[in-house]
Amino acid sequence: MQALVNATYGSDVVLGVLPAGGGNDFAAALQLPEDPVAAARAILRGHPMRVDLARARTADGRVRLYLGGGGLGIDAEAARYANETFRCMPGRSRYIASALWAFCGYRAIGVTAEFPGSHLPSMEVNSLLAAVLNTPTYGSGIRLAPGARLDDGWLDAVMVEDLSAFQVLQLLPRLLKSGELRTPHVHRVRVQAVKFATDRPCMFHGDGEILGPTPVVIEVLPQAVRVLVPAQN
């Protein structure tokens, strides 16, 4: 879907989404059924809806768009394992297993977040991950940005502080059951633009695809593309 959005942005097309990927968080945000056949029926009977896009400008000069979630840190490592080592595992367990595997050898990244065009103060966090989302969930249902909406002209910047192994184990039962990430070590900010700089070289991904190195600027493109949604939306 990420490649399709980049290929069609700016043209007068309407996109249809089928939940046939590894995470399907964007399809879930559209309230599509999990079964691809049922989802196809739903969008054929549905209507177009305008949704926001995120535009990422990476340090190598590349500009790429994504629909749902992008980030740096342990989630970029986890995305690689999810597509390789744990690709046969179902749903959320695949991403949690990938994140735990990545956590074993991971060293937190010092991230500075700035918010261009706003009066928000900059933030410096020793982070497990720093992400920018347009969807409430990430990694097949992990509720990283529960207040996010697809069409409100805002993105949710989320920074998760470095956690001990014991703290991670405390979070696991709720993560596996409902995808909830409840901890004071999570910082959430609603933004229209954010710049992430890191204390060591780091890659940023969008919708699971590596986009380029930090520093990276992510900004919202309000209601930039039309997608088909079920009639009740």
Side-chain angles (χ1 to χ4, degrees):
M1 194 64 187
Q2 191 249 24
L4 185 60
V5 166
N6 280 275
T8 60
Y9 173 66
S11 61
D12 187 23
V13 299
V14 181
L15 302 178
V17 180
L18 294 179
N24 298 322
D25 292 283
F26 187 74
L30 295 176
Q31 299 180 30
L32 288 169
E34 293 183 5
D35 177 70
V37 175
R41 293 194 187 103
I43 62 175
L44 288 173
R45 298 169 184 160
H47 60 86
M49 169 185 172
R50 288 201 171 271
V51 301
D52 306 332
L53 291 178
R55 179 167 59 194
R57 301 176 183 269
T58 50
D60 57 1
R62 298 186 69 196
V63 179
R64 295 286 288 177
L65 309 172
Y66 65 89
L67 278 162
L72 59 91
I74 198 170
D75 64 322
E77 289 294 310
R80 180 167 63 89
Y81 289 126
N83 291 328
E84 297 172 2
T85 310
F86 299 102
R87 64 182 305 170
C88 294
M89 293 182 67
R92 190 183 308 143
S93 61
R94 170 187 177 192
Y95 288 89
I96 292 176
S98 300
L100 289 173
W101 189 260
F103 180 75
C104 293
Y106 186 76
R107 181 167 59 91
I109 296 172
V111 179
T112 299
E114 298 176 348
F115 308 100
S118 81
H119 299 295
L120 292 170
S122 62
M123 299 172 60
E124 294 185 13
V125 179
N126 200 35
S127 301
L128 276 181
L129 70 88
V132 183
L133 295 94
N134 193 37
T135 51
T137 64
Y138 200 57
S140 193
I142 297 173
R143 298 185 62 77
L144 201 58
R149 290 177 54 90
L150 293 173
D151 60 349
D152 61 356
W154 293 86
L155 299 172
D156 283 46
V158 183
M159 302 174 77
V160 180
E161 295 177 14
D162 190 19
L163 299 173
S164 68
F166 178 71
Q167 289 170 321
V168 170
L169 290 173
Q170 284 183 311
L171 295 172
L172 269 182
R174 184 169 286 164
L175 273 175
L176 287 167
K177 183 178 180 181
S178 64
E180 297 273 352
L181 185 61
R182 293 186 189 175
T183 168
H185 300 287
V186 177
H187 306 275
R188 296 181 174 98
V189 185
R190 306 214 74 207
V191 301
Q192 292 182 314
V194 59
K195 178 182 179 180
F196 287 148
T198 55
D199 65 354
R200 67 176 189 266
C202 187
M203 302 300 286
F204 185 88
H205 80 87
D207 292 337
E209 302 292 331
I210 297 298
L211 304 186
T214 57
V216 56
V217 177
I218 308 97
E219 56 189 335
V220 67
L221 299 177
Q223 301 192 4
V225 66
R226 292 186 296 163
V227 298
L228 288 168
V229 298
Q232 68 267 24
N233 288 5

